[in-house]
Amino acid sequence: ILNVEQSPQSLHVQEGDSTNFTCSFPSSNFYALHWYRWETAKSPEALFVMTLNGDEKKKGRISATLNTKEGYSYLYIKGSQPEDSATYLCAFGTGRRALTFGSGTRLQVQP
Amino acid sequence: DGGITQSPKYLFRKEGQNVTLSCEQNLNHDAMYWYRQDPGQGLRLIYYSQIVNDFQKGDIAEGYSVSREKKESFPLTVTSAQKNPTAFYLCASSPKRQGEHEQYFGPGTRLTVT
C-alpha cells in the first residue's frame, strides 16, 4: 500500500486569510498527482491533475505546485472565503494501479 | 445530464446479510472504482475496473465482490464476510485508468449494518 500523507489534518482560518496544505507521496514511480475538493453533502470534485515536476496550476484563488523529486505538492488558497470550507484530498498515481488517496485536510473558514 | 448515480443514499441491513450497492455512469468512461471512507480516514480503494468483464482488487477487497457486465454499471456487494461493513461508500469513474485523468464521483451510499 502506497503512503500518501496530508498535513495538517484540519485547519481553522478567518475569512481573508491565505493558507496552504501539504501532500507528501513516494518520489519513485510518479505518474500524476491529483487534488480534489470535497464539500459537505456533495461529491468530491477535481481541482487539479498534475503530471510534470515543477507544474504549477491555478484556478481562481486556488493554486498548486508539484515537486516529484522530493515527493510533495502544496495547495494554496489566497484570501480564504467561507465557501472554501471543505476537505481537500490529494491522490497519487503511479500509472500501474488506481490512485491512492491521502486522508485529507479539513478547512473551516470563519466569516 | 451526464454523471454518476449511486443508490440508495442510506442503506440499513442486519448483520449476516449480503447487500448490493448500485453505481451507474453515463459518461462513457472505461474505468470505474469503489472506495470506502471511515471517520478520520481518506478514501480507501476496494475494487476497480478498467474495462467490461475485468476488475482488480484494491487495498481492502476482502469481504467485497463486484461485477462489470456493462460499461455503465459497477455494482458492489458487501458480503457477510466483511467484518466492519458500516461505512460511507463512494463510486467513481474516469475516462481511462491511467492517473492523468481526473475521477468523477457519485454522491455516495451510507451503509449501516446492525
Side-chain angles (χ1 to χ4, degrees):
Chain A
I1 296 178
L2 299 171
N3 198 26
V4 180
E5 294 189 359
Q6 291 189 246
S7 62
Q9 214 168 9
S10 66
L11 200 52
H12 286 76
V13 302
Q14 295 294 316
E15 184 175 352
D17 288 349
S18 292
T19 187
N20 65 84
F21 329 131
T22 304
C23 174
S24 301
F25 50 86
S27 55
S28 58
N29 299 316
F30 176 86
Y31 193 81
L33 192 285
H34 295 215
W35 281 100
Y36 291 83
R37 174 166 59 199
W38 193 358
E39 295 179 66
T40 303
K42 293 187 178 180
S43 307
E45 288 186 343
L47 286 170
F48 306 113
V49 177
M50 295 186 286
T51 56
L52 297 174
N53 183 43
D55 249 355
E56 289 190 27
K57 300 251 180 174
K58 189 173 179 181
K59 187 182 283 190
R61 293 178 291 99
I62 305 178
S63 60
T65 61
L66 177 67
N67 183 324
T68 62
K69 294 187 189 310
E70 296 182 36
Y72 65 84
S73 175
Y74 293 138
L75 187 79
Y76 300 92
I77 302 179
K78 186 178 177 182
S80 303
Q81 299 297 309
E83 58 265 31
D84 295 327
S85 297
T87 296
Y88 292 83
L89 297 169
C90 73
F92 167 72
T94 65
R96 293 178 181 272
R97 49 160 284 152
L99 297 174
T100 299
F101 281 81
S103 55
T105 292
R106 188 170 181 166
L107 174 68
Q108 289 272 68
V109 182
Q110 303 280 26
Chain B
D1 262 295
I4 301 181
T5 55
Q6 290 184 245
S7 60
K9 193 170 181 179
Y10 299 95
L11 193 52
F12 298 89
R13 279 293 183 270
K14 295 285 188 191
E15 199 173 315
Q17 292 179 333
N18 290 356
V19 59
T20 298
L21 280 57
S22 163
C23 178
E24 305 276 328
Q25 55 101 357
N26 60 4
L27 300 167
N28 200 33
H29 286 171
D30 283 338
M32 296 186 75
Y33 314 83
W34 274 106
Y35 296 95
R36 168 184 171 137
Q37 194 210 21
D38 294 283
Q41 297 201 34
L43 302 180
R44 292 188 291 166
L45 181 68
I46 304 172
Y47 267 98
Y48 67 101
S49 168
Q50 302 172 62
I51 198 168
V52 174
N53 293 324
D54 181 63
F55 46 83
Q56 284 81 43
K57 292 182 180 179
D59 299 320
I60 54 166
E62 188 175 341
Y64 299 98
S65 67
V66 293
S67 63
R68 187 90 186 274
E69 296 175 5
K70 298 185 294 183
K71 188 174 186 177
E72 57 270 23
S73 179
F74 191 40
L76 174 75
T77 296
V78 185
T79 75
S80 56
Q82 168 48 235
K83 293 191 183 347
N84 297 299
T86 294
F88 184 68
Y89 292 87
L90 268 176
C91 178
S93 71
S94 65
K96 302 284 182 190
R97 176 191 60 81
Q98 284 77 10
E100 76 265 25
H101 297 284
E102 67 183 75
Q103 293 190 6
Y104 295 76
F105 288 86
T109 292
R110 187 166 297 280
L111 173 65
T112 302
V113 176
T114 56

